Amino acid sequence: MPPDPGYSDPLPAAADLRKLGLIAGGGELPARVIAACREAGRPLFVLALEGFTNPDCLAEVDHAWIRLGAAGEGFRHLHAHNVQDIVMVGPVRRPSLADLRPDWRATRLFAKVGLKALGDDGLLRAVIAEVEQEGFRVIGVDQILGGHVARRGTLGSVQPDDQALADLAHGAAVARALGQLDVGQGVVVQQGIVLAAEAVEGTDAMLSRCAGLRREGPGGVLVKMCKPQQDRRADLPTVGPVTVMRAAEAGLRGIGVQAGAAVLVDVAEIRRQADALGLFVIGLTEEGTP
Amino acid sequence: MPPDPGYSDPLPAAADLRKLGLIAGGGELPARVIAACREAGRPLFVLALEGFTNPDCLAEVDHAWIRLGAAGEGFRHLHAHNVQDIVMVGPVRRPSLADLRPDWRATRLFAKVGLKALGDDGLLRAVIAEVEQEGFRVIGVDQILGGHVARRGTLGSVQPDDQALADLAHGAAVARALGQLDVGQGVVVQQGIVLAAEAVEGTDAMLSRCAGLRREGPGGVLVKMCKPQQDRRADLPTVGPVTVMRAAEAGLRGIGVQAGAAVLVDVAEIRRQADALGLFVIGLTEEGTP
C-alpha cells in the first residue's frame, strides 16, 4: 500500500498570469478557483450560469450572468474582458431544449453535435471545440488547483481491508463502464454487489439512497472514476468534505477516486473528516488498484 | 411498426402435468404461477422464502417456509414432496452473509462460486446448477406463463414517436451493458440522457426518483432488458400494471421490454392501464428496435 501521498494544498509552482475566464457551474469548485486566482494575483473574469453558479462566490469578482443557452452573449463577454484562458468547472445539469432557449450560436453548436442521443460528454467536447475556435485556450482545473488533484495512496489514517480493496477494484471497473456509456462517474459497491449507479441525480442523491439498500456486514465503498473518453479539461469527478460525510451516513467504509483524474476539494478538510468518521479516502489507478 | 401482437393470456397449449416445485421470491409472479397451475390442474409444491414470498398467495397451497440460507432443508422439502420440475420466480434481494446464516449446503455452494465479486447473476447460475445436480429439471417461467412473455410490437393503442424510438434504442444498449456488468436490468432515458440506472433498489424505486430528474419537453422511456449472459430460467425482467402506473407518475411516455425475454404480468390489465394513461408498451428486439 503506498503511503499517504502527503498533499499540501500548494498552488502550482509558477502561477500563470494570463487572464482567466471561469465558466462556473454548481458546487464548491468555482469558489476554489476564484480563491486560487486571488491568492496568485491572476486576473479573472467569471461567466456565471443562471441557475447553476452559487452567487455567494461572486462578491468582489468581475463577472456577468448568462443563460446556459446564450452562447453568443457568452462569447461576447469573454472577448470584451480580454480573457485568454478558459476553465469550466462545476456540474451543469443539461436542461431540456425547451428550457435551454438556445440562441443562434448555441443552435448551430447543437446542430453540429446532433441531438438524438446526445450525452453530457459529447456536448462538453463540442463546447470545448467551439471555445477553442474562438481563439481561447481551454485548460483543466488541475492547472489552477494543482494541489487538489487526487494522487495514488490513502489520505489520512484509515486503510481499506481486503474486502474493501476488492470492492474498489470492482467499483472502478463498473464506474468506467458506466462512464463509457456516458451514464455517470460514480458507483457504490458492497461485498461485490453494485448497490447504486449514478446517473443524472448526482453523487449526493445516490449516496442518500444507499443507507436503505446496504446489507449487514462490512460496508460498501463509493468509487468515482473519470469517463474513459472524456476530455479531462471538463467535468472531472469531484470529492469534497460533504461527500465524505454523506458516505459515512450511507454506512460506507471509504471512497476511491482515480488518481490524476479527480479533484479533491479541500484536501485538509477531507483528511480531517475521513479520520474523524473512520473512512478511508484512496487514490486508485485506472484499474482500481491502490 | 409491427401491429399489436394480440396477446390472449393463454395457458401453454399442452399443460405439463409433472409436479412443479415453485421457489417463490417477492412480487406478483409467484401468485400468477400458482393460479396457472391451479387452472391447469398441475400438481404444485411451493418453497416460500422467509422475508420475500407474499404469504397471501399461499392460501390452500401445499408449501413450506425456509430461510434463504437453508439450502439443505430446501432440498429435503423438494425431494419429500416428489417435485420433478423447478421454477424460480420473483425478486430475491441478496442479503449479507451475516443475515444469510448459510447452512452447510449453502456454504459449499458459495465456496464454489467464490464470494469476493459475486453478483446476483453468478449466484443464480450456481443455484441452477446445484438444483439440477439434485436431479430436478429447472424450467423457465415462460413455460408456465407462456402467454405472458413479451412479444415484438406495441401493446395497446399508443405508439412511440421518433424521439421515443431513439430513446428506446439507446436505453436498450445501456440496459444490456448494465446487465453485462451485473448491475441491473432497467434504465430510464429521456432525450438521449440516461436519467436513472437501476441497481439493487429495483424498478419502482428507480421510477420514483425520475419525476424530480426529468427535463421539460417529451418525456422519457423505461427500458428493461435481459442480462445478455443470464440463464433465462431465472430472474427475467418483469413488467406489471403497477410498473405502468409508476412510469406514468414519473412523467414517462412508455415502456420497452425485450421480446422473448421479459414477462408481462397480466397482459390485459397492462394494456388497459397503458391506454388509459396514454403510455406505450412495446416489445423490442435485442438491439432495441421495434
Side-chain angles (χ1 to χ4, degrees):
Chain A
M1 187 82 50
D4 186 316
Y7 293 85
S8 58
D9 291 16
L11 287 170
D16 196 327
L17 294 185
R18 288 162 59 93
K19 181 153 188 181
L20 184 69
L22 164 61
I23 305 181
E28 306 169 75
L29 268 184
R32 294 271 151 193
V33 169
I34 291 167
C37 285
R38 188 171 288 147
E39 280 180 59
R42 181 168 186 170
L44 173 69
F45 169 73
V46 180
L47 207 52
L49 298 174
E50 288 173 15
F52 298 101
T53 316
N54 180 353
D56 298 345
C57 71
L58 298 174
E60 298 171 56
V61 177
D62 194 10
H63 68 274
W65 286 95
I66 60 160
R67 287 189 304 111
L68 189 56
E73 192 187 338
F75 282 127
R76 278 194 299 279
H77 279 299
L78 294 170
H79 284 300
H81 287 81
N82 298 310
V83 158
Q84 295 167 288
D85 294 348
I86 300 268
V87 68
M88 298 184 270
V89 300
V92 171
R93 187 178 129 174
R94 205 195 84 176
S96 73
L97 278 186
D99 272 355
L100 193 57
R101 290 181 289 128
D103 64 9
W104 173 84
R105 189 64 187 272
T107 305
R108 201 183 63 175
L109 195 152
F110 287 133
K112 269 191 210 164
V113 192
L115 266 178
K116 280 255 170 81
L118 178 66
D120 288 328
D121 183 60
L123 185 58
L124 273 174
R125 264 200 308 254
V127 168
I128 288 173
E130 198 76 8
V131 169
E132 289 188 320
Q133 257 188 14
E134 285 285 319
F136 302 110
R137 183 174 77 169
V138 178
I139 63 175
V141 69
D142 54 313
Q143 289 182 258
I144 318 274
L145 302 174
H148 298 261
V149 173
R151 304 174 202 168
R152 284 180 65 184
T154 48
L155 185 66
S157 59
V158 185
Q159 299 288 337
D161 62 15
D162 284 353
Q163 176 67 63
L165 286 171
D167 284 348
L168 287 167
H170 186 52
V174 173
R176 285 175 61 80
L178 288 173
Q180 202 141 28
L181 295 162
D182 212 359
V183 173
Q185 300 170 320
V187 76
V188 174
V189 176
Q190 185 189 14
Q191 298 167 37
I193 300 274
V194 177
L195 290 192
E198 180 181 345
V200 303
E201 74 274 29
T203 304
D204 285 356
M206 174 179 66
L207 288 175
S208 72
R209 72 174 177 270
C210 285
L213 300 172
R214 65 172 298 212
R215 281 87 166 113
E216 290 303 308
V221 302
L222 165 68
V223 183
K224 292 187 81 171
M225 302 290 281
C226 191
K227 297 178 183 179
Q229 76 286 10
Q230 90 179 50
D231 190 313
R232 296 206 180 169
R233 290 173 293 176
D235 196 28
L236 283 187
T238 300
V239 163
V242 174
T243 322
V244 179
M245 258 171 45
R246 295 272 174 280
E249 288 164 6
L252 304 189
R253 296 195 292 157
I255 298 173
V257 294
Q258 186 175 345
V263 177
L264 300 178
V265 179
D266 200 340
V267 174
E269 183 60 17
I270 291 176
R271 183 193 280 114
R272 205 193 58 74
Q273 284 268 19
D275 281 348
L277 298 168
L279 270 70
F280 60 80
V281 175
I282 186 168
L284 303 168
T285 65
E286 236 175 59
E287 289 72 36
T289 53
Chain B
M1 189 80 52
D4 186 318
Y7 293 84
S8 56
D9 289 18
L11 288 170
D16 197 327
L17 295 185
R18 288 162 60 94
K19 182 153 187 180
L20 184 70
L22 164 61
I23 304 181
E28 306 170 76
L29 267 185
R32 294 273 151 191
V33 169
I34 292 168
C37 286
R38 189 170 286 145
E39 279 180 60
R42 181 168 187 169
L44 173 70
F45 170 73
V46 180
L47 207 52
L49 299 175
E50 287 172 15
F52 297 102
T53 315
N54 180 352
D56 298 344
C57 72
L58 298 174
E60 298 171 55
V61 178
D62 195 11
H63 69 273
W65 286 96
I66 60 160
R67 286 189 305 109
L68 190 57
E73 193 188 338
F75 281 128
R76 278 194 298 279
H77 280 300
L78 294 170
H79 284 302
H81 286 80
N82 298 309
V83 158
Q84 296 167 285
D85 295 347
I86 300 268
V87 68
M88 298 183 271
V89 300
V92 172
R93 189 179 128 173
R94 206 195 83 174
S96 73
L97 278 186
D99 273 354
L100 192 57
R101 290 181 290 128
D103 64 9
W104 174 84
R105 189 62 187 271
T107 304
R108 201 183 62 174
L109 194 151
F110 286 131
K112 270 191 209 167
V113 192
L115 265 178
K116 280 257 169 80
L118 178 67
D120 288 328
D121 183 59
L123 185 58
L124 273 173
R125 265 199 307 253
V127 168
I128 288 175
E130 198 77 7
V131 169
E132 288 187 322
Q133 258 187 13
E134 285 285 320
F136 301 110
R137 183 174 76 170
V138 178
I139 63 176
V141 68
D142 54 313
Q143 289 181 256
I144 318 274
L145 303 174
H148 299 261
V149 174
R151 303 174 201 170
R152 284 181 65 185
T154 49
L155 185 67
S157 59
V158 184
Q159 300 288 336
D161 62 15
D162 283 353
Q163 175 68 62
L165 287 171
D167 284 347
L168 287 168
H170 187 51
V174 174
R176 284 173 62 79
L178 288 172
Q180 202 141 29
L181 296 162
D182 212 358
V183 173
Q185 299 170 321
V187 75
V188 173
V189 176
Q190 184 190 15
Q191 300 167 38
I193 301 277
V194 177
L195 290 191
E198 181 182 345
V200 304
E201 74 273 31
T203 305
D204 285 357
M206 174 180 64
L207 288 175
S208 72
R209 72 173 177 270
C210 285
L213 300 173
R214 65 172 299 210
R215 281 82 166 120
E216 290 302 308
V221 302
L222 165 67
V223 183
K224 291 188 80 170
M225 303 292 281
C226 191
K227 296 178 183 177
Q229 76 285 10
Q230 91 180 52
D231 191 314
R232 295 207 179 168
R233 289 172 294 177
D235 196 29
L236 285 187
T238 300
V239 163
V242 174
T243 323
V244 179
M245 259 171 43
R246 295 272 173 281
E249 287 164 7
L252 305 190
R253 297 196 292 158
I255 297 172
V257 294
Q258 187 175 344
V263 178
L264 300 177
V265 179
D266 199 341
V267 174
E269 184 59 18
I270 291 176
R271 184 195 278 114
R272 204 193 60 72
Q273 284 269 20
D275 282 349
L277 298 168
L279 269 71
F280 60 80
V281 175
I282 186 168
L284 303 168
T285 65
E286 237 176 57
E287 288 73 37
T289 54

